[in-house]
Amino acid sequence: AALTMRSSALKCVDLTALGPQEVWCFWINVFHCLLLHGRLSSGIPAGVQQVVRFFNRTSYVVTGHVFSLTEIEHRILRANMSPPKLRLSWVYLKFWERSSGDLELRPCLAAPPCPAAQFRCRADWRLNLVLSAGNMSCSDAVPIFEAASDEAFGEVLGHAMRQTLATGRTRPGELPYTLYRYRDDAPPGAAGESFELRWARAMVGLGGPYEGVCASSATPTFGEHLPEAALA
């Protein structure tokens, strides 16, 4: 009941004054809160069909608009990032397409006017290692993000990414499967460099044998694709 009362404040929250980092923090926190709230209210979905339905239907009203988990991830957090390499994604991922005018002028209830830019987060490849879908490929802890200096923010993100790499179901030296699904998000590299190697270079400094992988001539590999229904 307390969570429901607190989350209801999102209906008319004013995002106007938030900067890009704060907008990113806000939406990733809302996503994780909704994920946990939905599982507490509806239980843990079992089977691919239930998981798809859970992500498409579990929703909050935020700043006068209804957003599902699917929409928050793929239309807000990943608005300026690559779409998933997922077969028949149009079948599984259900969106309500909204223009900038819809977001700014047509809320479903009386909420403070909000620029459309506050519903589209900046691109950040690190999202792929800190956003939790609640399955066994993800971290066993959900981080809470707050605005901070670039250095402090980077440290918090680094800790969250290391947690994902340490607790996700991948073997030493393997890259998490989610990085394969979102391989076009890999940071830039040298001309002709594979996305596998670009991801491995990005992992250097987070722990694990990624530096050795980059130094070798072998192509880095990705971990096993764990079914989305296999929730932690």
Side-chain angles (χ1 to χ4, degrees), residues 93-142:
L93 307 178
K94 301 298 184 183
F95 310 114
W96 177 10
E97 296 293 352
R98 281 169 274 211
S99 66
S100 294
D102 291 332
L103 292 169
E104 293 178 353
L105 304 173
R106 300 178 184 89
C108 64
L109 50 78
C114 186
Q118 306 302 72
F119 299 96
R120 299 187 181 103
C121 292
R122 67 184 184 185
D124 191 328
W125 66 263
R126 297 171 294 186
L127 176 71
N128 293 293
L129 289 174
V130 299
L131 189 69
S132 175
N135 58 38
M136 292 190 297
S137 297
C138 302
S139 171
D140 62 356
V142 175

Side-chain angles (χ1 to χ4, degrees), residues 174-177 179-180 183 195-196 199 220-224:
E174 284 185 338
L175 296 166
Y177 180 82
L179 300 185
Y180 177 77
R183 49 191 177 273
F195 64 84
E196 294 98 335
W199 274 131
T221 58
F222 291 91
E224 181 184 0

